[in-house]
Amino acid sequence: MVAHAEPVFIDPTTDEGFKRLFGDKVNLINFLNIIFRGRKMITDLTYRDTERIGATEEIGKVIFDLVVQISTGEEIIIEMQTSTQTNLKQRMLYYASKVISDTAPKGNRKAWAYAIPEVYTIVLMDGFHMPGVDRNTYFHDTCLCNRDSGQIFYEGFGFIYLEIINFVKSEAEVEDELDKVFFMLKNMSTLKTLPRIMKSAVFQRFFQLASYAKLTKEEKTMYDISLKRKWDAEAVRMYQQEQVEGLEKQLKEAKKEAKKASLVAKAEGLAEGKAEGEHNKAIETALRFKEMGLLVEQIAKGTGLSIEEIEKLK
């Protein structure tokens, strides 16, 4: 185990931290109501699987599978998790599609009438960027829409990504409840005291549960293992990123050198072509001078050709 100073608060983006903070029903309801920004008002929820193990390459991954009651009386399904970088969009689409297909009855589809519940996937992205997206944006609320007009085509299939790495606001710059969530997720593990902006009951509850000192001995051991796993994954990710950046730099330099070589070759080709053209022109002139009966020495002086070259001309 890597030695480290005992923190005041745990890291919510580790598997154990994520499970502890969002495995608390009240915390999760408050979090979801902030994330949906008034579009949905969550009144209750049920954990369908408190913890679900992901695919082989994601052993230990915590995924909350939720049935959520909203103020209209309807139920929606939410999957919430942290995520690795590999094939992010494709994997989230697969998970969400599987949730929908699992709701379908085995038979009597006609009577069911495709009464698909609304399904949302919420992902905490820690330490890496969303591929192909502006890096100034840290909150991505995505649904099916018309590509040209932007008009929503279908509301009930959504993806909400919290790109934590892009959030760079200081405590003084935090503007609203959503910003507070990001500030908490990014900075909780390095804070020594509860920030002034987190004095509300909603955030006090998060920080109370996040107190490292209040963990049992077993919980501390599990959290430390989870934290080391995160550090190891981050080290691997940074190494891979350095390798990719190194290859990209080499490719850029190679392209630069290839372009330079191409320009040199082109210039040399032009110079060679020009010299050849001038030589051919001198030969034509020398032939005319010979026909006029000029002496070889005079032709050499007038064309720049050697006496040997002129004597061979016919």
Side-chain angles (χ1 to χ4, degrees):
M1 181 69 62
V2 177
H4 61 281
E6 186 172 291
V8 176
F9 302 108
I10 63 176
D11 185 341
T13 61
T14 61
D15 286 343
E16 289 299 316
F18 178 80
K19 182 167 61 175
R20 181 172 178 83
L21 266 62
F22 296 107
D24 179 85
K25 184 175 177 178
V26 174
N27 264 357
L28 187 50
I29 289 175
N30 288 333
F31 172 81
L32 292 175
N33 280 327
I34 293 173
I35 294 302
F36 277 103
R37 298 177 294 173
R39 193 170 76 250
K40 305 286 183 186
M41 183 57 63
I42 289 85
T43 57
D44 198 6
L45 61 82
T46 302
Y47 296 88
R48 296 207 295 184
D49 290 312
T50 303
E51 180 178 348
R52 192 173 81 223
I53 304 302
T56 303
E57 70 272 15
E58 293 182 283
I59 292 175
K61 180 63 61 183
V62 179
I63 303 175
F64 288 130
D65 190 359
L66 314 166
V67 176
V68 177
Q69 289 76 46
I70 58 178
S71 57
T72 60
E74 298 172 281
E75 288 186 345
I76 62 176
I77 296 175
I78 293 177
E79 271 208 352
M80 181 176 166
Q81 62 172 289
T82 57
S83 184
T84 55
Q85 182 174 2
T86 309
N87 300 321
L88 174 69
K89 295 179 182 179
Q90 294 91 330
R91 285 188 299 109
M92 295 304 106
L93 183 61
Y94 168 77
Y95 290 149
S97 299
K98 190 174 186 305
V99 169
I100 291 177
S101 64
D102 287 347
T103 65
K106 301 303 179 183
N108 199 15
R109 296 283 179 89
K110 186 175 181 181
W112 175 55
Y114 293 90
I116 298 171
E118 292 189 21
V119 174
Y120 297 90
T121 301
I122 299 175
V123 186
L124 273 61
M125 298 171 53
D126 180 43
F128 67 96
H129 294 284
M130 174 77 77
V133 176
D134 176 15
R135 293 192 177 184
N136 292 321
T137 303
Y138 50 86
F139 185 71
H140 308 274
D141 192 349
T142 307
C143 64
L144 299 179
C145 68
N146 183 289
R147 186 187 301 275
D148 296 321
S149 68
Q151 183 177 359
I152 294 176
F153 172 75
Y154 182 67
E155 172 67 43
F157 189 53
F159 300 86
I160 299 176
Y161 298 94
L162 285 73
E163 194 172 355
I164 301 172
I165 195 172
N166 284 356
F167 185 82
V168 295
K169 292 183 180 180
S170 66
E171 183 178 349
E173 294 171 321
V174 168
E175 299 176 18
D176 52 26
E177 296 298 286
L178 185 60
D179 276 359
K180 290 179 184 178
V181 165
F182 274 91
F183 186 86
M184 176 185 72
L185 292 174
K186 186 161 189 176
N187 299 293
M188 177 178 275
S189 63
T190 61
L191 295 170
K192 302 302 179 185
T193 59
L194 180 70
R196 179 185 55 80
I197 60 172
M198 303 286 181
K199 297 295 185 181
S200 69
V202 168
F203 289 101
Q204 282 190 34
R205 185 181 181 89
F206 271 105
F207 278 86
Q208 286 169 1
L209 278 173
S211 172
Y212 185 82
K214 292 182 180 179
L215 300 180
T216 65
K217 183 178 179 180
E218 291 75 15
E219 287 172 338
K220 286 180 179 179
T221 299
M222 292 300 295
Y223 170 72
D224 289 343
I225 292 172
S226 180
L227 184 61
K228 183 179 183 301
R229 185 185 297 137
K230 175 183 173 178
W231 288 346
D232 290 345
E234 180 62 22
V236 170
R237 185 162 55 217
M238 288 180 68
Y239 173 77
Q240 291 174 337
Q241 183 176 337
E242 287 173 359
Q243 293 299 302
V244 170
E245 289 175 351
L247 289 173
E248 288 177 346
K249 184 177 180 181
Q250 290 177 23
L251 181 60
K252 187 176 180 181
E253 290 297 324
K255 286 182 177 179
K256 192 175 180 181
E257 289 300 319
K259 185 177 180 181
K260 183 179 178 181
S262 176
L263 290 173
V264 170
K266 186 176 180 181
E268 289 176 347
L270 289 172
E272 185 178 338
K274 183 179 180 181
E276 185 178 352
E278 290 178 349
H279 184 70
N280 291 335
K281 186 176 180 181
I283 290 173
E284 292 175 2
T285 304
L287 285 169
R288 287 199 300 270
F289 284 168
K290 281 188 83 173
E291 291 173 358
M292 294 169 61
L294 294 180
L295 297 174
V296 173
E297 291 78 6
Q298 291 175 317
I299 297 174
K301 188 174 180 181
T303 61
L305 298 175
S306 68
I307 291 175
E308 290 77 12
E309 284 183 287
I310 296 168
E311 287 177 343
K312 291 178 182 179
L313 294 177
K314 294 181 180 180

